[in-house]
C-alpha cells in the first residue's frame, strides 16, 4: 500500500496474473472449463516469468480450492510438485483442502477458515461456516467438511444457498446433487423430487445459454 501511495507502478506480470487467476476461478464456478483452462495457462505463464515457484504454488492452490468448493475432490497434484518451494501457509492450506490439516498449523490458515478447521464438533463447524462472509471461502470450507465426512444438513444448505446466490452453476449442481441423494437415502421422495427439479432447471439453463 505504501508503495502504491509513493507512485510505484505495479509490474505488468503481477496485474496480468491476478486478473487471469480471478477470471479462471470465475469461469470454473460458472461451468466454463474452456475459459478456465485458458486463463490459468495465462496466469502460470505470467508467474513463470519471475521464476517464483512459491507464487506458482499459490495459483495452483487457488485452482484446487475452486474444485473443493465444487466437490471435485481430487488430489492437488500440481501443487504437490511445488510443495517443497511453497511457504508454510500454502502448505497448511493444501493440507486443509485435503482434509488433513494438523492442529499446530491451523493458525497458518486464512482467518476465515481457522474456526472451521479447529471446530471440536460437526455442529460447531457448521456454526463457524455460517460466520464466513466471503462466498468462495464459505464453499471451500463446506467442501472440506464434506471431504472430511463432517458436513451436516446445515452445511449442505449453506453451500446450496451460497452457490445459488452467486449464480455459480458448477458448485450449485454438485451440492444440490448431494442433497438429493441424502433425501433419497432418507426415503424423503417429496424433497428428492423437488431437488431433482431444481437440478434440471439449472442444467436446462446451462444448455440454453450455449451457442
Amino acid at each position: 500500500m505504501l508503495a502504491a501511495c509513493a507512485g510505484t507502478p505495479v509490474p505488468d506480470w503481477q496485474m496480468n496474473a491476478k486478473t487471469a487467476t480471478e477470471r479462471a476461478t470465475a469461469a470454473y464456478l460458472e461451468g466454463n472449463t474452456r475459459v478456465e483452462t485458458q486463463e490459468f495457462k495465462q496466469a502460470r505463464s505470467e508467474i513463470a516469468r519471475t521464476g517464483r515457484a512459491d507464487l506458482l504454488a499459490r495459483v495452483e492452490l487457488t485452482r484446487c480450492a475452486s474444485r473443493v468448493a465444487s466437490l471435485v475432490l481430487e488430489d492437488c497434484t500440481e501443487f504437490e510438485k511445488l510443495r517443497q518451494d511453497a511457504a508454510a501457509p500454502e502448505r497448511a492450506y493444501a493440507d486443509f483442502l485435503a482434509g488433513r490439516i494438523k492442529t499446530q498449523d491451523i493458525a497458518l490458515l486464512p482467518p476465515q477458515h481457522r474456526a472451521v478447521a479447529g471446530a471440536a464438533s460437526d455442529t460447531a463447524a457448521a456454526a463457524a461456516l455460517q460466520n464466513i462472509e466471503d462466498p468462495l471461502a464459505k464453499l471451500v470450507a463446506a467442501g472440506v467438511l464434506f471431504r472430511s465426512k463432517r458436513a451436516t444438513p446445515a452445511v449442505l444448505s449453506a453451500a446450496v444457498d451460497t452457490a445459488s446466490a452467486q449464480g455459480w452453476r458448477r458448485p450449485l449442481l454438485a451440492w444440490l446433487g448431494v442433497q438429493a441423494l441424502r433425501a433419497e437415502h432418507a426415503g424423503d421422495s417429496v424433497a428428492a423430487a423437488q431437488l431433482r427439479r431444481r437440478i434440471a432447471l439449472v442444467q436446462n439453463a446451462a444448455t440454453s445459454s450455449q451457442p
Side-chain angles (χ1 to χ4, degrees), residues 66-150:
S66 67
R67 279 152 174 75
V68 171
S70 305
L71 297 183
V72 180
L73 305 179
E74 55 194 17
D75 293 336
C76 195
T77 54
E78 294 304 315
F79 170 81
E80 292 303 327
K81 295 175 183 177
L82 302 164
R83 177 182 278 270
Q84 62 183 350
D85 294 315
E90 277 68 45
R91 295 196 299 271
Y93 191 63
D95 292 341
F96 173 68
L97 293 179
R100 57 169 184 264
I101 184 71
K102 300 179 179 66
T103 301
Q104 63 268 28
D105 292 336
I106 290 177
L108 297 174
L109 294 176
Q112 63 266 34
H113 286 149
R114 292 172 191 166
V116 171
S121 68
D122 295 353
T123 302
L129 181 77
Q130 297 292 350
N131 293 326
I132 299 177
E133 296 183 1
D134 179 77
L136 182 54
K138 179 174 285 189
L139 282 177
V140 169
V144 169
L145 290 175
F146 182 84
R147 187 172 211 164
S148 306
K149 296 179 171 55
R150 300 184 65 191

Side-chain angles (χ1 to χ4, degrees), residues 47-61:
I47 292 175
R49 292 165 52 189
T50 71
R52 293 279 303 276
D54 59 324
L55 295 181
L56 189 58
R58 193 173 300 171
V59 168
E60 296 299 344
L61 276 181

